[in-house]
């Protein structure tokens, strides 16, 4: 039974989708980040960066002791490799394309959309420059994805892969940064098709509590500190 240290963010849903698609027994251990659950020292032994999601595999393929993993993209690759390279093309070029687009999501699409979310939804109002900067970059990356999906069924080509799993939850969240997907017909086609997969539906059953699901969540001083401020900073020292 794999333990999944989890919050229902796009990054968290990457991992819960993968486990549901694999039909692997797992347990979601939900964290209250507003209360600072992720700042505890015990969690740092699982996720040195203090970020969610993370997993602990009690039965790694090497037969050794339970193995903790952090970073959502690394978790997807680990689970794929453990399960006979599931959701990874078998040919060299297809496999490389899946890896390239997964890295694109991890290094670009996710972080840039995440920054747009921060400045649009959480930062004190009046932050025009960073809002424009990150929203424009989020849109530019959507244009990159649209062009790719105009040419192929899935991000790595003809096969649904870990790259699609990693990107789909972030595309699902674009409404929160006031982006409409109507100008992106290829993305809409891809998003709707993947959204019909039973594993994707099961993997996204857990959603954020009402406050965090708002377009503009309301945080008190302690909650802000746990997410973005001094409490978060001190926890890594």
């Amino acid at each position: 039974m794999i333990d999944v240290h989890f919050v229902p963010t796009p990054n968290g849903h990457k991992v819960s989708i993968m486990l549901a698609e694999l039909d692997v027994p797992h347990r979601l251990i939900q964290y209250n980040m507003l209360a600072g659950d992720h700042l505890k020292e015990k969690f740092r032994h699982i996720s040195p960066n203090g970020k969610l999601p993370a997993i602990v595999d009690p039965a790694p393929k090497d037969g050794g002791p339970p193995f903790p993993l952090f970073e959502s993209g690394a978790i997807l690759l680990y689970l794929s490799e453990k399960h006979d390279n599931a959701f990874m093309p078998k040919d060299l070029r297809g496999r490389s394309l899946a890896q390239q687009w997964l890295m694109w999501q991890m290094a670009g699409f996710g972080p840039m959309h995440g920054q747009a979310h921060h400045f649009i939804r959480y930062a004190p109002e009046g932050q025009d420059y960073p809002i424009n900067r990150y929203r424009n970059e989020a849109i530019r990356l959507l244009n990159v994805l649209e062009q790719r999906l105009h040419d192929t069924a899935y991000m790595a080509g003809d096969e649904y892969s870990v790259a699609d799993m990693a990107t789909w939850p972030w595309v699902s969240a674009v409404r929160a940064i006031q982006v409409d997907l109507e100008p992106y017909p290829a993305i809409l086609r891809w998003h709707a098709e993947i959204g019909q997969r039973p594993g994707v539906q099961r993997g996204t059953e857990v959603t954020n509590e009402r406050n965090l699901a708002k377009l503009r969540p309301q945080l008190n001083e302690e909650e802000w500190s746990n997410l973005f401020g001094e409490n978060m900073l001190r926890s890594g020292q």
Side-chain angles (χ1 to χ4, degrees):
M1 176 76 71
I2 289 178
D3 281 345
V4 185
H5 299 261
F6 179 82
V7 284
T9 61
N11 286 335
H13 281 149
K14 294 177 195 177
V15 174
S16 55
I17 287 171
M18 179 64 154
L19 289 165
E21 291 275 26
L22 291 169
D23 199 24
V24 170
H26 60 280
R27 176 178 62 164
L28 295 183
I29 302 172
Q30 294 197 57
Y31 280 55
N32 182 344
M33 294 184 70
L34 297 183
D37 289 354
H38 59 303
L39 305 180
K40 296 175 182 177
E41 184 177 353
K42 182 178 180 181
F43 179 57
R44 293 280 172 165
H45 293 297
I46 298 168
S47 177
N49 196 33
K51 301 290 186 179
L52 294 148
I55 70 170
V56 178
D57 182 0
K61 287 182 74 172
D62 65 3
F67 187 45
L69 294 96
F70 70 109
E71 287 297 328
S72 57
I75 294 169
L76 294 184
L77 291 174
Y78 173 86
L79 291 171
S80 171
E81 182 177 356
K82 181 176 180 178
H83 296 276
D84 299 319
N85 295 313
F87 304 109
M88 184 68 75
K90 300 299 185 286
D91 64 292
L92 182 146
R93 294 186 182 213
R95 186 166 62 252
S96 179
L97 282 168
Q99 292 168 348
Q100 290 174 57
W101 283 103
L102 176 61
M103 295 306 109
W104 173 84
Q105 191 285 317
M106 294 295 299
F109 195 90
M112 294 300 102
H113 278 247
Q115 291 292 344
H117 277 259
H118 176 77
F119 285 104
I120 291 170
R121 303 182 62 217
Y122 292 98
E125 295 185 277
Q127 308 275 338
D128 291 343
Y129 175 79
I131 285 175
N132 291 333
R133 161 76 176 96
Y134 290 112
R135 190 171 182 276
N136 286 344
E137 183 63 4
I139 290 170
R140 187 190 72 80
L141 290 162
L142 280 169
N143 290 333
V144 173
L145 181 60
E146 173 69 13
Q147 185 57 56
R148 177 60 179 166
L149 294 173
H150 182 268
D151 298 335
T152 63
Y154 298 102
M155 293 173 68
D158 294 332
E159 294 182 47
Y160 172 67
S161 75
V162 293
D164 302 289
M165 285 185 207
T167 307
W168 188 89
W170 279 103
V171 171
S172 298
V174 298
R175 65 166 188 83
I177 56 170
Q178 300 158 23
V179 172
D180 188 350
L181 288 179
E182 284 303 316
Y184 305 99
I187 292 177
L188 280 173
R189 181 268 308 162
W190 166 88
H191 187 262
E193 181 178 334
I194 290 175
Q196 293 302 309
R197 295 180 65 91
V200 172
Q201 293 176 357
R202 292 197 307 274
T204 54
E205 286 175 345
V206 178
T207 58
N208 264 320
E209 51 104 342
R210 186 182 298 260
N211 181 32
L212 290 178
K214 292 178 180 177
L215 293 181
R216 186 78 184 172
Q218 300 299 311
L219 306 181
N220 62 38
E221 186 174 333
E222 185 72 8
E223 290 168 340
W224 174 270
S225 186
N226 288 335
L227 288 183
F228 309 117
E230 288 299 317
N231 290 349
M232 168 67 85
L233 179 62
R234 284 197 300 270
S235 71
Q237 295 175 343

